[in-house]
Amino acid sequence: MTQTPLIFAALCDIAGKVRGKAFPADQLDKRLQRGLGWTPTNVQITCFDVIAESPFGALGDLLLIPDVDTLAETQFGDGAPTRLMLGDVTTLEGAPWDLCMRSALKGALARLHKAAGVHLIAAFEHEFQLKSPPALDHQAYGRGGFELQRDLCETLIAVLHGAGLEPDSIMKEYGPNQYEVVVGPAQGVRSADQAVILREFTRDTARSFGEEATFSPIRDTRSVGNGVHIHMSFVGDSGAPVTYNADGPCGMSAITDAFAAGVLKYMPSIVALTAPSVISYERLTPHRWSAAYNNLGFRDREASLRVCPVTAKDPASIARQFNIEYRAADAAASPYLALAAIVHAGCQGIEDGLTAPAPTEEDLSLLSPADLHARGFVRLPETLEAALDTFEADPVAKGWFPDSFAAVYRAHKNAEIAHLAEMDTPARCAAYEATY
Ligand code: GLU
Ligand code: MG
């Protein structure tokens, strides 16, 4: 049988789903210019394929323009290669569409450069679980659990490397059948492209071994969740690192300090965008090493924003390695939207000259609400509805996005919430692990 090689041009939308259309690879030049037709109301397809109330109805036309620099290819066994290319959604006239998440991230990165003259370097650390029942119990960080899936892990690392990512490490995480895969950082929008490629190719790799991988925020509330931890640092126009200052608070430069302050201040407003599923709020609870308060941690895994340790010894390498980590994110979020929200919050901190509070070193869940308030901390929203309300009630955070965004996002999430309304928590977890 002859087969025509295809390229799948895709976006990762509000639902965090990767959707698109394939075209014959020999049409690439044409498609890079003319794109592929896309439909406005697709933005309201939830992760459960329910179409939320849409301001567009059946009307309108858009273009999905693939970005040639994002081409990621891989191949399993004797099968034909799979090719993925990510892109932007534009109007027919070529302007960025207001609800294109990749364009929203580009806007946030441009704001950062304008506010501080720096570029963002980011790395997404992903946790996922294999859905098959664990063949071995008690395998937290265990060699046995790793060894059981070593072929899958080695294949995944080769697949990611072949797709142009720089694999850093892979391990058997704490939870049942839970693994963590880390790739090296990349500049700007490329970091979020990499997160999309990693999620898709991890699922493909698992499938090629007869396994199903899920990045769902949490599978079982009696156990741990699957986080997406976003590591961030900054470089100037020359590429020189500007994140670190040995004399700054926790080693942060003035830019990092102000950026961190903005992220902490606006975190209650942006979790609706970075942890956007109903069950995300089962994960964002104390004592899960996720994120329950808007606190800064110095090497503290209960903090929502963490100053990470550096292993380098010489000053130049320390300056390059130094980074802060946003932990209140999960893979129900489009990496573009999550990172756009974090970068806007950080920019607000820089533009308003904020400084970060001192890092916490205690268990904040033991403080009374009054003590928490007195110390300037808040418990992050405890449900998706509360998170959405907090975002909508914050004119500053809402103002970072086009006028149409907040209402579209709310309608989208309302449809997702309604789909789960009659389900108990285990059924909700099951629904999410079937889609993420
Ligand atoms: N599984 C934890 C989370 O939900 C993170 C554990 C860790 O790697 O520190 O974010
Ligand atoms: Mg982990």
Side-chain angles (χ1 to χ4, degrees), residues 8 28 35 82 89 96 117 148 184 197 204 281 285 290 296-297 308-309 330 356 358 388 410 413 417 424:
F8 192 85
L28 178 59
T82 173
V89 182
L148 271 178
I197 294 165
D204 293 349
Y281 297 85
T285 50
S290 62
L296 182 69
C308 293
D330 63 49
L388 292 165
R410 183 73 194 220
K413 289 292 156 183
I417 292 166
D424 61 10

Side-chain angles (χ1 to χ4, degrees), residues 125-127 141 171 173-174 178-182 225 227 229 289 301 325 327:
E125 182 185 315
H126 282 90
E127 294 170 337
Y141 310 112
M171 68 167 178
E173 246 287 357
Y174 174 77
Q178 189 182 37
Y179 292 81
E180 174 179 305
V181 58
V182 183
H229 301 165
W289 288 18
R301 288 183 179 75
E325 176 191 37
R327 295 172 66 85

Side-chain angles (χ1 to χ4, degrees), residues 7-22:
I7 298 176
F8 192 85
L11 66 158
C12 183
D13 61 9
I14 278 181
K17 298 290 281 188
V18 178
R19 310 186 207 266
K21 294 182 176 178

Side-chain angles (χ1 to χ4, degrees), residues 35 92 168 197 202 205 272 304 392:
L92 295 184
D168 174 278
I197 294 165
T202 300
T205 303
S304 49
E392 284 179 354

